[in-house]
């Protein structure tokens, strides 16, 4: 019975589950008949008669909280005290005038500076929390008429909205993959949470890692666990959420946090992966649509960034390897494997169509990892890459 109740409903939706959460908060009976009655008022996107949804939500939450108690939350957030507490989360803000300490801003400078980063909504957290956990918050400084104004706002992703309704953390954090309790969470609740919330994996990310600006003028908040999340700036420079970008229904999976844009041709190149599934892919976006995609045979590596030049698209396979067995040993999810040599997969852009056979692989003589790339260009028959 316990396993059956944990089993996720097949047709849940985010709006339906949020409505159920509201009903639960109002004291809905856990009896199936009462649960079914409470859901009759939901929209047509409801859970198709899954009268056990309130019970499933409560049961998964109970198991999750029980395992939370076996993990050291306070130890997991010591990073927040570094730099005199500079990593502690902040609240949303708007229209904050900034004072120039020295000199003056030119009157004719107009535009905005933006950055995005993780900013936990619930603090102090009740779950183990990594520094990369936390909801995406975009910070912006609007320059106009010789003055500067600061704003910051959460990216109101479906995940963020769900947890606002739930009143606490629901989705699994990176920090929770730690020790035997972390393994037990993987086996019991991790894969069920998004489905119970009515969200597909690529629409359940935090949008907290990087900002992208497309040739069509769209602003993206990116996280490699999901699709690009669109936002805009209002006339004062304050960030406003729009929603996940499906690229006119051509994209139904995650992309990397650092896609590469060629403003000259209007192309966007990206890579993506599904850890533990043996899936790694590279794609091309043109005019706001996914027009090309191929899958490559790749191990479960770090694979955080890639780079392009005028002639080539290059993916990086470094020496870091993902190992879920490290969870039980309380080690990092990615460990350096000195026997793995650094490799580059090179695709000639003149080939047009991406296929696995079109990639040429070059292996370096030593093991190394590249987390971020800075700049690359062609020089004769060489590709020059600047990277930390």
């Amino acid at each position: 019975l316990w396993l059956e109740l944990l089993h996720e409903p097949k047709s849940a939706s985010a709006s339906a589950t949020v409505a159920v959460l509201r009903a639960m908060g109002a004291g809905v009976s856990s009896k199936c008949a009462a649960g079914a009655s409470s859901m009759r008022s939901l929209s047509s996107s409801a859970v198709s008669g899954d009268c056990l949804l309130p019970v499933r939500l409560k049961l998964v939450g109970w198991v999750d909280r029980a395992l939370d108690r076996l993990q050291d939350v306070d130890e997991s957030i010591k990073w927040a005290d570094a730099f005199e507490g500079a990593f502690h989360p902040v609240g949303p803000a708007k229209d904050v005038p900034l004072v120039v300490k020295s000199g003056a801003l030119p009157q004719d400078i107009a535009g905005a500076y933006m950055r995005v980063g993780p900013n936990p909504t619930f603090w102090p957290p009740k779950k183990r929390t990594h520094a990369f956990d936390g909801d995406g918050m975009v910070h912006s400084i609007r320059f106009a008429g010789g003055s500067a104004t600061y704003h910051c706002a959460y990216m109101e992703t479906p995940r963020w909205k769900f947890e606002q309704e739930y009143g606490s953390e629901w989705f699994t954090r990176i920090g929770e993959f730690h020790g035997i309790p972390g393994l037990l969470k993987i086996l019991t609740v991790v894969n069920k949470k998004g489905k119970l919330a009515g969200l597909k994996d690529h629409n359940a990310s935090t949008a907290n890692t990087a900002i992208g600006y497309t040739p069509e003028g769209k602003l993206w908040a990116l996280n490699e666990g999901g699709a690009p999340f669109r936002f805009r700036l209002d006339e004062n420079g304050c960030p406003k959420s729009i929603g996940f970008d499906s690229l006119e229904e051509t994209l139904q999976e995650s992309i990397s946090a650092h896609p590469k844009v060629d403003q000259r041709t209007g192309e966007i190149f990206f890579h993506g992966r599904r850890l533990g599934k043996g899936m790694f892919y590279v794609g091309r976006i043109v005019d706001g649509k996914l027009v090309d995609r191929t899958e490559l045979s790749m191990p479960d590596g770090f694979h955080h960034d890639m780079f392009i030049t005028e002639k080539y698209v290059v993916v990086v396979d470094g020496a870091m390897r993902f190992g879920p067995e490290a969870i039980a040993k309380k080690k990092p999810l990615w460990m350096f494997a000195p026997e793995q040599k650094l490799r580059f997969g090179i695709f000639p852009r003149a080939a047009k169509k991406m296929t696995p056979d079109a990639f040429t692989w070059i292996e370096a003589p030593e093991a190394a990892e590249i987390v971020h790339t800075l700049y690359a260009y062609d020089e004769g028959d060489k590709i020059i890459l600047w990277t930390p």
Side-chain angles (χ1 to χ4, degrees), residues 93-97 149-151 236 238:
K94 62 183 301 185
D95 300 323
V96 179
T149 308
Y150 169 78
H151 317 264
N236 295 320
C238 188

Side-chain angles (χ1 to χ4, degrees), residues 14-83:
S15 59
T17 309
V18 166
V20 170
L21 286 173
R22 289 173 176 159
M24 288 169 60
V28 170
S29 168
S30 61
K31 293 181 180 179
C32 183
S37 176
S38 71
M39 284 189 283
R40 290 195 190 103
S41 62
L42 299 180
S43 68
S44 60
S45 63
V47 291
S48 300
D50 180 30
C51 59
L52 289 176
L53 180 60
V55 181
R56 296 184 205 278
L57 285 164
K58 284 188 175 182
L59 183 55
V60 169
W62 179 85
V63 173
D64 196 40
R65 287 190 295 274
L67 293 172
D68 284 339
R69 296 188 186 100
L70 301 177
Q71 296 187 309
D72 190 343
V73 175
D74 291 339
E75 184 274 336
S76 76
I77 58 173
K78 289 182 178 179
W79 51 265
D81 294 326
F83 301 104

Side-chain angles (χ1 to χ4, degrees), residues 346-360:
I346 301 172
F347 170 75
R349 295 173 62 176
K352 302 297 184 183
K353 180 66 177 176
M354 285 184 173
T355 64
D357 291 340
F359 280 77
T360 298

